[in-house]
Amino acid sequence: DVVMTQSPLSLPVTLGQPASISCRSSQSLVYSDGDTYLNWFQQRPGQSPRRLIYKVSNRDSGVPDRFSGSGSGTDFTLKISRVEAEDVGVYYCMQGTHWPRSFGQGTKLEIK
Amino acid sequence: QVQLQQWGAGLLKPSETLSLTCAVYGGSFSGYYWTWIRQPPGKGLEWIGEVTHSGNTNYNPSLKSRVTISVDTSKNQFSLKLSSATAADTAVYYCARDAYWGQGTLVTVSS
């Protein structure tokens, strides 16, 4: 199984400052079709997860452009250019290349 | 706009079968993987398995012996059954397709 490892697990950030979350996979996430199926989800307290990014760097509809995804192979990053209060929650990476699909442990973003 | 609405029993006794259904409104039912994911209280997300509109399934090996995911294309619904439930299966269960997620159902297994 592919293990997804996120860091840090806790991320205190000052409002207006940038934030960055790393996600590393135990195997390459490049699929046979050439695409890399790495997603990022945000889960606000008490809510269902919401997908922010798909295939490494594509923002979902309605996602603010302060969120961006990058990376390749086994090493991926979610960046928030300027953290806002509504960004508080837990962020998960998830790989959709291999079965079983798997999630990272989650990174809890809080306002410092 | 795609919406997923899920329902099912929220309280089970140990050894009973967990049963949840997810209805899909809007969008096409074919051409996608329809997924179940769970989240134990205070913990992270665990992928349970998925089904296509034609009934092809993939399961998490950790649950495979107890899980059945099925689809009813006439109703645009898919379902999860998890047999021999224990307290370790207590979690919020979500149905999902890509960016679209259900509201979640808390299932508690307790005697």
Side-chain angles (χ1 to χ4, degrees), chain B residues 55 66 87-88 101 106 108-109:
Chain B
R66 299 193 291 130
W101 288 57
L106 173 61
T108 302
V109 182

Side-chain angles (χ1 to χ4, degrees), chain A residues 29-51:
Chain A
L29 298 186
V30 180
Y31 190 54
S32 54
D33 63 3
D35 278 329
T36 300
Y37 293 90
L38 186 283
N39 304 312
W40 287 98
F41 291 87
Q42 173 196 60
Q43 187 175 32
R44 291 171 172 153
Q47 294 187 11
S48 299
R50 167 199 183 194
R51 195 177 71 177

Side-chain angles (χ1 to χ4, degrees), chain A residues 41 43 48 92 99-101 103, chain B residues 39 47 50 58 94 101-102:
Chain A
F41 291 87
Q43 187 175 32
S48 299
Y92 297 93
W99 283 285
R101 316 306 194 189
F103 292 88
Chain B
Q39 184 172 36
W47 185 84
E50 62 193 9
N58 293 295
Y94 296 100
W101 288 57

